[in-house]
Amino acid sequence: MRLRCAVLDDYQGIATEVADWSPVADDVEVVGFARHFADEDALAAALADFDIVVTLRERVPFPASLLARLPRLKLLIASGMRNTVIDYAAAEAQAVTVCGTPSASTPPVELTWALLLGLARGLVTENEALRAGGPWQSTVGADLHGRRLGLIGLGKIGSRVAQVGLAFGMRVSAWSRHLTKERAEEVGVELAASKEELLASSDFVSVHLALGDRTRGLIGAAELALLKPTAYLVNTSRAAIVDQDALLTALHEGRFAGAGVDVFDVEPLPADHPMRSAPRLLATPHLGYVSRANYEAYYSGAVEDIQAFLAGSPVRRLG
């Protein structure tokens, strides 16, 4: 009897196109779900008859309560090698093997710059005006060369964002709680004296931290108030690092020039979510990891995980 494998949040219907699933075709039936399940009841009902689940990043939590409602589940595959929304202890107690996949850090770097450049040059406003026969040149672009780019976090993604900023001729500085001067110099950037100094002095601020107890709400109303009126804020990391209510208030009050956001407190965004209509906001539907090469890595890795599991030697185990 073939095992059943569910692929969650396959919005583009691409999971079986970007990877070769033939090595497991005789043993596994693959079913993709193009819609997101909004609550645990709906998810439990949809997954009740599946032995394997492939989930994207940290989009779908797998707490103990959900795992207990999936008695058939034997293998849970999460794209990437880090996932904070799976209850690993509950999975182990239920004999569910949890595995990760390869992933790349370049797609979120590229999207960060897409948002930053889009904000700086008013691309959405100008494109919409051009298509609608509106005014010819209604905005004045913000320069990058010679301006200061402040990075909150200088890890794998942040350091690559820094390199692009340096190539544009920007002055790049960075801050995080444990960032050292030696690490900053290694990347070729300045170490900001403090989070507050970085926010107050930067023309562009980009967030590149993992979400945890110490980073949740790291940028709130007080921090946003430090930004220059001409500054831009970009967040492609996790929504909760920036206080969402404070961000909305600051955007509506025009306290700084604008924000580029790829992550939200609720995903997908409800139709009436205030982020959909916020002024001075360039927003994308969590596209940071969404690239063909990354999807190829995710789903090819998932096939490898399934093969190894069926052979009795799981690989890339998480937890």
Side-chain angles (χ1 to χ4, degrees):
M1 182 176 177
R2 295 169 78 200
L3 301 177
R4 302 193 75 216
C5 172
V7 179
L8 297 179
D9 293 330
D10 185 18
Y11 299 124
Q12 301 91 346
I14 201 172
T16 55
E17 295 179 18
V18 297
D20 178 12
W21 291 75
S22 63
V24 298
D26 291 340
D27 301 302
V28 179
E29 174 193 2
V30 180
V31 180
F33 289 93
R35 68 183 183 90
H36 184 75
F37 295 98
D39 58 63
E40 186 176 301
D41 288 342
L43 189 60
L47 299 181
D49 295 328
F50 286 91
D51 310 275
I52 304 168
V53 172
V54 179
T55 182
L56 273 178
R57 307 301 294 166
E58 297 172 315
R59 181 153 292 173
V60 179
F62 279 84
S65 56
L66 174 60
L67 291 168
R69 299 170 71 176
L70 303 176
R72 267 186 67 166
L73 183 63
K74 297 302 177 188
L75 176 62
L76 176 59
I77 300 171
S79 59
M81 290 300 295
R82 181 180 183 277
N83 195 298
T84 62
V85 298
I86 295 173
D87 188 326
Y88 294 108
E92 183 178 7
Q94 201 170 307
V96 176
T97 300
V98 184
C99 297
T101 74
S103 64
S105 60
T106 49
V109 173
E110 294 166 0
L111 185 74
T112 295
W113 280 102
L115 289 172
L116 194 151
L117 289 166
L119 286 167
R121 300 307 295 267
L123 293 186
V124 174
T125 299
E126 296 291 2
N127 178 260
E128 289 179 346
L130 185 145
R131 288 179 174 274
W136 187 262
Q137 298 183 359
S138 63
T139 64
V140 178
D143 295 283
L144 271 61
H145 189 274
R147 299 302 190 268
R148 190 177 190 191
L149 170 63
L151 302 175
I152 305 289
L154 196 64
K156 186 182 296 184
I157 294 174
S159 60
R160 289 184 174 180
V161 171
Q163 292 167 1
V164 178
L166 292 169
F168 273 116
M170 302 183 79
R171 295 178 293 117
V172 184
S173 60
W175 174 90
S176 66
R177 281 192 173 95
H178 302 295
L179 181 61
T180 64
K181 183 178 180 181
E182 291 73 23
R183 169 58 181 163
E185 290 178 345
E186 180 183 324
V187 179
V189 307
E190 303 170 10
L191 175 63
S194 65
K195 173 182 63 175
E196 290 73 17
E197 187 273 333
L198 181 141
L199 292 168
S201 62
S202 296
D203 300 291
F204 299 88
V205 175
S206 191
V207 180
H208 301 287
L209 293 173
L211 179 62
D213 292 338
R214 291 188 174 185
T215 59
R216 188 178 300 274
L218 183 71
I219 300 177
E223 287 76 18
L224 293 173
L226 296 173
L227 292 171
K228 298 178 181 180
T230 55
Y232 295 93
L233 173 70
V234 175
N235 185 11
T236 57
S237 292
R238 290 292 182 267
I241 296 172
V242 180
D243 184 293
Q244 298 295 281
D245 291 336
L247 177 60
L248 281 167
T249 297
L251 289 170
H252 279 284
E253 295 181 355
R255 296 182 189 172
F256 54 94
V261 171
D262 185 49
V263 286
F264 306 92
D265 55 356
V266 179
E267 296 183 9
L269 276 182
D272 60 350
H273 195 286
M275 279 290 184
R276 288 187 179 269
S277 57
R280 302 176 183 83
L281 179 67
L282 175 57
T284 48
H286 205 152
L287 298 178
Y289 62 86
V290 182
S291 77
R292 179 164 290 274
N294 223 17
Y295 271 23
E296 288 173 353
Y298 288 168
Y299 295 119
S300 294
V303 174
E304 293 170 358
D305 289 348
I306 294 170
Q307 284 183 283
F309 175 79
L310 294 177
S313 301
V315 295
R316 293 188 286 261
R317 299 190 70 160
L318 300 179

